[in-house]
Amino acid sequence: MNRIYILLAVLFANITLFSLASCSDDDNGGGQPVIECVRTTDPELADSTFTDATVGQLIMIQGTNLHNAVHVYINGQDVYFNSNYNTSTHLIVTIPQDLIVRGVDDSIPLEIRVETTHGTAVYDFHVIAGYPSLELYKADLPINADGIPEMVPGQEVTLVGELLHEIEKIYVTDLDTVPLFEITEYALNADRTEIKLRMPANQIPDYGIYMVECYAGTAYCGFSKSPMEPEIFDVSTDMPIPGQKVVIYGKYLTNLTSVNLGGEIDIDLTQVVENDAMTELVFIMPDELPGEDSNGLLSVSTLGGKATLPFYRYEWIYEDFDGHGTPMAYGWGTNHFGGNPTWGWSPIPDTCPITKSSGSYIYFDGVTCWWDHNLTINSKAAPEGIDASTPLSDIELRYEVYMHEPFTAASSMTSTIKIFGREKKDIAIVDRVTGQLMPGEWMSVAIPMTEFAPDAATYGDLCKSDTGGDNFTIFLGYDNTGDNVIIAYDNFRFYIKKQ
């Protein structure tokens, strides 16, 4: 009997020790955590794993014993994760948009580290901020014997782009991308947007391509020995009022020889302001305007060539209140002056504070109440100078607006415009470039026509959908009455964006 008690005691002791060991294993998570791979959360792509990712990307960390995670580190930085999506085999995390990456700080570890209650798993992983790009290059070119700026051996050049991280190699190719020589002398700025390099002390090709190989990809930018041909992407206003600031946007806008309006007006180049990036030109619109017989172009000529953009296209005008607009039946409204005299409206009074104009304009002057500062035009016809097949996504409604003083009684004030019978409310009374209300100055507004008619595919579709009647209206909107508002509108036109 004593022997039986002894055996039972030993058995119970072993059971107790086994139970304690089992509890200890549970507390420690059941084993060393291991990261086996990283993939997307899409179950159909479960077999597609990767070791590189981009900031902002949602990733699934896959392995064993990953439960009870306490911290997740990417590039040595503690990142947030939702513990509800943490199992023994998976952990889901979004790589933060502001994660510091290699290239910004070359000392950070390229790894994912998962710390759990029962151990740590580490996995080699490379996060990039995005893919590199080059927009243009800058160089102060010396003048050659023919009086033309020209790149020379040893020339200092600045490449301008974005996300120029982890540069591995910079070289120059010909136009067939055959490597010609490597650039070994270069420096990168702090925010990785500019590379200042020195051309080698040998012959420079007439035309070539800068190639910048980075870990995330290759960026490239064409160049020429002589100045590059200018490009124009946009202009702040294509029908400016005299005295209004005009900003031209593009590339290689330097070494100017001419800025011309409509083939008729040359801007004084001493009054044109360039920026260091060669992407903007600024001038003040002169008192003279291009005529109806002008070529309808803004042109910028440089030592590298010539670029143009539509400017004062009279065939695109809907209404400029000077007789260039399309036919209408009649119009009416409240406290307004100006416009085509044949409409029978009151002329602009001498007390009007607007001192700069391109002729007549619609002008409202009065204290806001329940029905004021508005214009309704009946049966306004469509401009015929636009091809019916033009995609509506390529067309903007543009107009100029002037507000003499800031409003105070109202906390917000907007325009409601109806065109072709399609109305858009809550249009901000701000300049399209600055995004600000500029009291006492003409401002330019541009609205995609797709915001007026999202169901129309082409200009022809828009015209066909116009039922006539009161199809062109201007209303001033506000959330409180009592302001004495002096506001004017001019040069309503359609603008076809350059493709």
Side-chain angles (χ1 to χ4, degrees):
M1 184 67 73
N2 290 336
R3 183 179 299 172
I4 292 174
Y5 286 138
I6 292 171
L7 289 173
L8 287 172
V10 172
L11 179 60
F12 284 131
N14 287 336
I15 292 172
T16 301
L17 289 172
F18 178 76
S19 298
L20 289 173
S22 297
C23 290
S24 177
D25 284 345
D26 289 340
D27 289 342
N28 291 330
Q32 173 66 28
V34 175
I35 299 174
E36 297 172 351
C37 63
V38 176
R39 63 179 181 85
T40 72
T41 56
D42 187 346
E44 295 184 2
L45 301 176
D47 294 332
S48 300
T49 64
F50 45 82
T51 56
D52 293 355
T54 307
V55 295
Q57 189 171 339
L58 179 69
I59 62 173
M60 177 180 287
I61 303 169
Q62 185 170 303
T64 57
N65 300 322
L66 297 176
H67 55 290
N68 294 337
V70 179
H71 292 283
V72 176
Y73 295 91
I74 301 178
N75 287 5
Q77 298 155 70
D78 199 350
V79 302
Y80 169 80
F81 69 96
N82 190 333
S83 59
N84 292 327
Y85 300 106
N86 176 208
T87 69
S88 62
T89 57
H90 298 92
L91 192 150
I92 297 175
V93 64
T94 297
I95 302 173
Q97 286 282 0
D98 59 353
L99 189 82
I100 298 173
V101 298
R102 275 283 178 94
V104 176
D105 183 352
D106 291 336
S107 68
I108 58 176
L110 297 176
E111 65 182 22
I112 295 175
R113 188 169 82 251
V114 177
E115 293 184 359
T116 72
T117 57
H118 47 280
T120 300
V122 180
Y123 187 76
D124 291 339
F125 199 76
H126 203 136
V127 177
I128 62 172
Y131 300 98
S133 65
L134 287 176
E135 300 297 328
L136 51 84
Y137 73 94
K138 299 186 294 184
D140 292 325
L141 304 181
I143 306 297
N144 65 15
D146 297 322
I148 303 297
E150 184 177 77
M151 190 177 293
V152 297
Q155 174 83 52
E156 186 177 87
V157 176
T158 300
L159 306 183
V160 180
E162 292 183 349
L163 302 177
L164 301 173
H165 298 163
E166 300 183 82
I167 295 174
E168 297 175 345
K169 186 179 181 181
I170 301 176
Y171 56 98
V172 171
T173 75
D174 61 18
L175 295 182
D176 294 321
T177 67
V178 176
L180 299 177
F181 50 80
E182 185 175 354
I183 302 292
T184 57
E185 187 178 344
Y186 66 88
L188 187 63
N189 69 345
D191 60 2
R192 276 65 181 174
T193 58
E194 291 189 358
I195 303 170
K196 186 169 290 187
L197 60 85
R198 188 167 297 281
M199 299 292 283
N202 52 24
Q203 188 174 5
I204 297 172
D206 290 339
Y207 300 95
I209 302 174
Y210 291 112
M211 307 287 285
V212 179
E213 289 186 358
C214 302
Y215 176 84
T218 300
Y220 57 91
C221 173
F223 77 92
S224 67
K225 192 174 182 179
S226 297
M228 287 289 286
E229 185 175 357
E231 298 179 41
I232 302 177
F233 305 143
D234 196 8
V235 61
S236 59
T237 170
D238 61 292
M239 287 192 71
I241 308 297
Q244 190 174 358
K245 183 170 76 172
V246 180
V247 186
I248 303 170
Y249 302 94
K251 289 172 64 174
Y252 303 117
L253 301 178
T254 190
N255 297 311
L256 297 176
T257 59
S258 171
V259 175
N260 181 271
L261 311 181
E264 299 177 345
I265 305 164
D266 284 314
I267 301 299
D268 182 354
L269 294 184
T270 64
Q271 303 301 311
V272 179
V273 179
E274 304 178 27
N275 68 344
D276 291 339
M278 305 180 297
T279 57
E280 292 183 8
L281 299 175
V282 180
F283 66 91
I284 302 301
M285 186 65 188
D287 290 340
E288 184 184 0
L289 299 176
E292 292 184 58
D293 296 328
S294 69
N295 64 15
L297 293 174
L298 163 68
S299 66
V300 174
S301 299
T302 74
L303 292 175
K306 181 178 180 180
T308 63
L309 204 67
F311 194 80
Y312 263 86
R313 295 290 293 267
Y314 285 90
E315 72 271 26
W316 294 351
I317 293 176
Y318 192 56
E319 186 55 62
D320 71 349
F321 307 103
D322 288 307
H324 300 115
T326 61
M328 52 167 275
Y330 50 86
W332 70 93
T334 66
N335 53 31
H336 63 268
F337 309 88
N340 191 325
T342 61
W343 293 1
W345 294 345
S346 302
I348 297 173
D350 293 337
T351 55
C352 176
I354 302 174
T355 57
K356 291 287 187 179
S357 73
S358 56
S360 296
Y361 46 86
I362 195 70
Y363 157 56
F364 305 91
D365 185 350
V367 177
T368 55
C369 54
W370 297 114
W371 178 256
D372 54 87
H373 293 78
N374 62 78
L375 171 69
T376 296
I377 292 178
N378 185 272
S379 299
K380 183 72 169 162
E384 297 179 353
I386 302 174
D387 191 285
S389 65
T390 304
L392 204 63
S393 57
D394 290 347
I395 304 177
E396 292 178 335
L397 172 69
R398 293 188 175 188
Y399 60 88
E400 310 307 297
V401 63
Y402 173 103
M403 182 176 282
H404 190 58
E405 295 177 335
F407 46 85
T408 55
S411 62
S412 67
M413 199 165 282
T414 58
S415 299
T416 294
I417 305 293
K418 183 192 292 182
I419 196 157
F420 286 176
R422 304 296 191 103
E423 186 175 84
K424 180 171 176 56
K425 298 180 179 180
D426 302 323
I427 302 172
I429 304 173
V430 297
D431 185 75
R432 68 183 291 248
V433 174
T434 66
Q436 302 293 320
L437 171 65
M438 299 158 52
E441 298 183 42
W442 283 100
M443 301 169 284
S444 189
V445 178
I447 310 161
M449 279 305 299
T450 51
E451 295 186 13
F452 284 90
D455 57 332
T458 66
Y459 179 71
D461 294 338
L462 177 65
C463 294
K464 290 177 183 177
S465 69
D466 185 4
T467 58
D470 297 338
N471 60 351
F472 177 36
T473 64
I474 304 170
F475 276 78
L476 184 66
Y478 36 84
D479 59 359
N480 196 20
T481 61
D483 283 297
N484 186 66
V485 178
I486 299 173
I487 190 169
Y489 297 84
D490 201 2
N491 293 349
F492 284 88
R493 73 275 187 190
F494 298 105
Y495 184 83
I496 302 175
K497 296 181 290 184
K498 188 177 181 180
Q499 299 301 302

